[in-house]
Amino acid sequence: MNDTVQAKPQGYYESLFSIQAVEFTLLDLSLYLLTHPMDAAALQQYSQLSQQLKELTRRFEDQFGPLTHRSVGPNPPYGWVATPWPWEV
Amino acid sequence: MWIYEKKLEYPVRVSGCNPNLAKFLIEQYGGSDGELAAALRYLNQRYSIPDSRLKGMMNDIGTEELAHLEMIATMVYKLTKDATPQQLKAAGLGEHYVNHGKDLYYENAGGVPFSVRYIQGKGDPIADLYENIAAEEKARATYQFLIDISDDPMVNDALAFLREREVIHSQRFREGVEILKEAQLHKAYY
Ligand SMILES: [Fe+2]
């Protein structure tokens, strides 16, 4: 009954981790900016990283499949359920 | 609404099958100061709290707690998925197994089911914010206790991340108290 976790293609974890790192920084900055809306350095970092996240996400999804329903696209095999769930990797 | 992202907030890795550790971690899944309690508390308080910044705080921190709930679930799942019923029994999860099999359940480390009585919603911004600060500090302490008792350094890496998030959340809620105080000062003088 155990789903076997297939070996991940090369670069999977690295690419995922770079998204996690940038997205986390954005999340933390957005909380910080609620109470520090005038912090120019934080604002600048926020806008720079949000650009970077878009690019990283696009590259990850092209290679490893969608991270959200919005980017599933019309083509199997990269459909929503064709890739492993977060608790399986 | 919410959109699911098919990834964790922070990577969760485990060194191997470890149902003993899983049993302790369930405290942060369905315990009084766990992630479910945190998410439900903030997402419920956000409607009536004054000030858009405070609503943002409740909304965004409540949402992040759901991501933490998923990280805890992932730890428990990975630590128990290969365990035999005998191993679960030896780890004190025999009662859990006969009721829930390998499913997770919203309960604390002692097996007591989650109760919504763990959380408050007082309809009073200062009372709510202080409740939240206390909740974050209790969660931080629980993560420290889990790290102290854990024998898996890979799990501890993710637990340390979660512990640090409680520190940040507490900090933001403290700043929320300052926002309220400022608003009250303005009311008094203008
Ligand atoms: Fe928190």
Side-chain angles (χ1 to χ4, degrees):
Chain A
M1 279 282 288
N2 256 341
D3 292 314
T4 24
V5 177
Q6 323 106 326
K8 290 291 143 309
Q10 185 143 32
Y12 174 86
Y13 288 108
E14 293 81 353
S15 184
L16 181 62
F17 190 69
S18 64
I19 289 178
Q20 284 167 319
V22 172
E23 189 160 49
F24 169 70
T25 313
L26 281 166
L27 181 150
D28 194 44
L29 275 173
S30 66
L31 274 185
Y32 171 82
L33 284 166
L34 286 174
T35 46
H36 304 79
M38 306 305 238
D39 187 328
L43 285 165
Q44 211 232 308
Q45 198 189 3
Y46 190 92
S47 78
Q48 191 203 325
L49 286 175
S50 55
Q51 274 310 107
Q52 208 179 317
L53 180 63
K54 262 187 215 159
E55 181 54 28
L56 287 169
T57 304
R58 193 190 56 75
R59 261 190 277 160
F60 180 93
E61 290 185 323
D62 283 352
Q63 220 182 333
F64 304 113
L67 288 170
T68 66
H69 272 293
R70 282 179 186 165
S71 42
V72 166
N75 300 323
Y78 281 151
W80 181 239
V81 297
T83 56
W85 292 91
W87 51 93
E88 296 171 337
V89 298
Chain B
M1 74 172 286
W2 279 265
I3 300 275
Y4 185 68
E5 296 218 17
K6 207 169 172 181
K7 62 180 165 53
L8 300 179
E9 185 186 6
Y10 183 89
V12 167
R13 305 213 204 295
V14 308
S15 304
C17 181
N18 190 341
N20 287 293
L21 179 54
K23 179 173 165 59
F24 297 133
L25 292 172
I26 292 172
E27 184 65 30
Q28 282 305 81
Y29 195 63
S32 55
D33 308 315
E35 301 294 352
L36 179 66
L40 295 180
R41 179 188 293 112
Y42 309 146
L43 292 175
N44 180 65
Q45 291 172 352
R46 69 190 165 140
Y47 300 99
S48 57
I49 193 116
D51 195 298
S52 191
R53 291 166 291 177
L54 297 177
K55 290 190 206 326
M57 216 175 261
M58 303 289 186
N59 186 77
D60 297 355
I61 296 178
T63 299
E64 186 181 356
E65 307 295 10
L66 291 173
H68 296 171
L69 188 69
E70 185 183 35
M71 283 178 64
I72 295 291
T74 299
M75 291 177 204
V76 173
Y77 169 74
K78 287 186 171 185
L79 291 169
T80 55
K81 71 182 170 65
D82 298 323
T84 64
Q86 288 311 316
Q87 285 171 320
L88 291 171
K89 184 179 162 196
L93 287 170
E95 294 81 353
H96 177 101
Y97 181 71
V98 295
N99 192 355
H100 309 292
K102 291 282 187 82
D103 274 1
L104 277 90
Y105 194 66
Y106 295 108
E107 61 195 354
N108 71 10
V112 179
F114 180 79
S115 166
V116 86
R117 291 196 172 118
Y118 293 149
I119 67 176
Q120 305 283 312
K122 210 66 212 168
D124 180 281
I126 285 280
D128 282 351
L129 281 170
Y130 276 121
E131 144 125 0
N132 299 354
I133 293 165
E136 294 293 337
E137 298 301 337
K138 288 187 280 183
R140 174 190 52 75
T142 308
Y143 279 120
Q144 187 58 56
F145 299 152
L146 285 168
I147 290 167
D148 296 343
I149 212 169
S150 158
D151 53 1
D152 184 335
M154 292 176 102
V155 169
N156 283 357
D157 177 64
L159 291 175
F161 171 84
L162 292 169
R163 181 191 59 196
E164 295 314 304
R165 294 312 290 157
E166 310 303 359
V167 175
I168 296 295
H169 292 170
S170 173
Q171 179 62 33
R172 297 285 91 89
F173 287 131
R174 284 161 202 262
E175 291 161 359
V177 171
E178 296 309 310
I179 287 176
L180 276 181
K181 283 185 187 161
E182 233 172 82
Q184 269 161 8
L185 272 181
H186 284 295
K187 240 194 234 158
Y189 291 106
Y190 297 105

